[in-house]
Amino acid sequence: MLLTWGTSSRLGIDKTMLVVGGEQLARKVARVLGGVVAPTIEVGPGRTDLHSVTEPERGAGPLVALVCGWEALLSLGHDGPVIALAADLPRVTTELLRFLAEWPGESSAVPVAGGRAQPLCARWARPALDHARDLVATGQRSMRALLATTTVDRVGPAEWGQVATAECFMDLDTPEDLARLVDEARADGGTME
């Protein structure tokens, strides 16, 4: 599931609509995700061509978005593990997502990069998704609550580094992140809009 409806409060613009390397960011990330998993849905306002569902309340938090997407996937007949992916990861790769999708066993797999868990570029197993629903019912809104109260395989660079670099987890949250991405696009001879 692709999560596209964050508030972008730190950046001040709708980052999912930015054009990176000639492609709208949300569409680019959707394309990468769709190359690995099916069915693929968007939780958000319909920034992509994916089937989209919206949260009951915009900006309610990523945990609510995860549960909303999980319920939509259940209604489509999917009840296995889910890749949850934020749309603000311009460097995420097919190889990284395939690695997560194929994580052995029944556990959730959450990469750790730069010392931080990456729950919005992770594989979530059904028990964790069902638990997320229970957390939302008690008023929780943060992915930290899910990480703190469910069992996950924390996947470090020794594992994901076989198929990806830390740049795959670079998210676009702040004006500094955007400036860095613009500078890199210019250095590569490209542009950003």
Side-chain angles (χ1 to χ4, degrees):
M1 82 181 65
L2 181 68
L3 308 176
T4 61
W5 213 353
T7 60
S8 296
S9 59
R10 288 180 283 178
L11 193 57
I13 59 172
D14 184 349
K15 55 192 167 187
T16 66
M17 299 300 289
L18 290 171
V19 176
V20 179
E23 190 173 14
Q24 177 195 356
L25 182 57
R27 290 178 185 268
K28 175 186 188 290
V29 178
R31 179 179 47 78
V32 173
L33 181 62
V36 176
V37 298
T40 305
I41 64 165
E42 173 186 341
V43 181
R47 299 286 188 233
T48 68
D49 294 329
L50 299 175
H51 170 76
S52 66
V53 295
T54 57
E55 305 156 71
E57 174 188 340
R58 182 178 180 188
L63 188 63
V64 174
L66 180 71
V67 169
C68 181
W70 172 236
E71 290 173 349
L73 286 167
L74 284 172
S75 74
L76 294 173
H78 178 81
D79 65 355
V82 169
I83 298 292
L85 184 61
D88 66 347
L89 296 169
R91 293 195 177 95
V92 71
T93 63
T94 301
E95 293 78 16
L96 175 60
L97 297 182
R98 186 171 292 117
F99 169 82
L100 292 171
E102 295 173 355
W103 186 253
E106 301 296 318
S107 299
S108 298
V110 178
V112 176
R116 292 180 39 221
Q118 304 292 320
L120 297 181
C121 182
R123 168 189 148 155
W124 290 101
R126 180 165 188 154
L129 294 162
D130 289 340
H131 181 63
R133 184 187 297 143
D134 295 340
L135 289 171
V136 167
T138 66
Q140 294 291 331
R141 300 292 182 255
S142 169
M143 293 299 291
R144 283 186 225 100
L146 182 59
L147 284 169
T149 59
T150 193
T151 302
V152 300
D153 291 343
R154 292 182 182 257
V155 182
E159 293 96 0
W160 57 254
Q162 300 170 35
V163 297
T165 67
E167 287 295 305
C168 291
F169 301 101
M170 181 226 156
D171 57 0
L172 188 56
D173 280 340
T174 66
E176 293 79 19
D177 296 335
L178 179 57
R180 180 176 158 205
L181 198 59
V182 168
D183 289 345
E184 290 171 5
R186 285 185 187 139
D188 291 340
T191 61
M192 281 192 55
E193 301 170 25

